[in-house]
Amino acid sequence: MNLSVIMAVYKGDDAGQVNLALNSIISQTKAPDEFIVVADGPISKSVKDILIKFSSEKLIKIVWLNDNVGRGQARNTAINFSTGELISIM
């Protein structure tokens, strides 16, 4: 079964915590088949820089939203972009 991990980030997120979360997922013994991160509207430059850095990882897909839609809708967006049969929320 394919596993998708989804995560939403927004302007109030701490860049260090986002970095730790992304590293945690890609460092798992059994990595997911895809990791979709939604940037929920405008985000800080430091978080944006981290997302850009991680976007070179094959399994990570970044979805950029122009407007903040809230965590729930951002996660729904990630689900719509996912191809996995199972979805885990980070």
Side-chain angles (χ1 to χ4, degrees):
M1 285 199 168
N2 287 347
L3 173 63
S4 298
V5 174
I6 64 170
M7 177 176 151
V9 297
Y10 79 114
K11 68 180 176 181
D13 283 335
D14 177 84
Q17 294 298 314
V18 170
N19 191 58
L20 286 172
L22 293 169
N23 272 317
S24 174
I25 293 298
I26 65 171
S27 299
Q28 295 295 311
T29 303
K30 169 64 173 110
D33 297 291
E34 65 183 357
F35 184 17
I36 300 170
V37 181
V38 175
D40 187 10
I43 55 175
S44 70
K45 180 179 179 341
S46 56
V47 171
K48 184 175 184 177
D49 290 345
I50 289 167
L51 293 182
I52 290 169
K53 177 183 86 170
F54 276 94
S55 67
S56 64
E57 293 285 333
K58 183 179 177 184
L59 92 104
I60 296 179
K61 297 177 190 173
I62 311 294
V63 179
W64 304 93
L65 301 179
N66 292 326
D67 299 313
N68 179 272
V69 296
R71 291 241 190 234
Q73 186 57 45
R75 288 176 180 152
N76 284 338
T77 299
I79 290 169
N80 289 334
F81 274 85
S82 71
T83 59
E85 298 167 86
L86 299 172
I87 297 174
S88 176
I89 298 173
M90 175 68 170

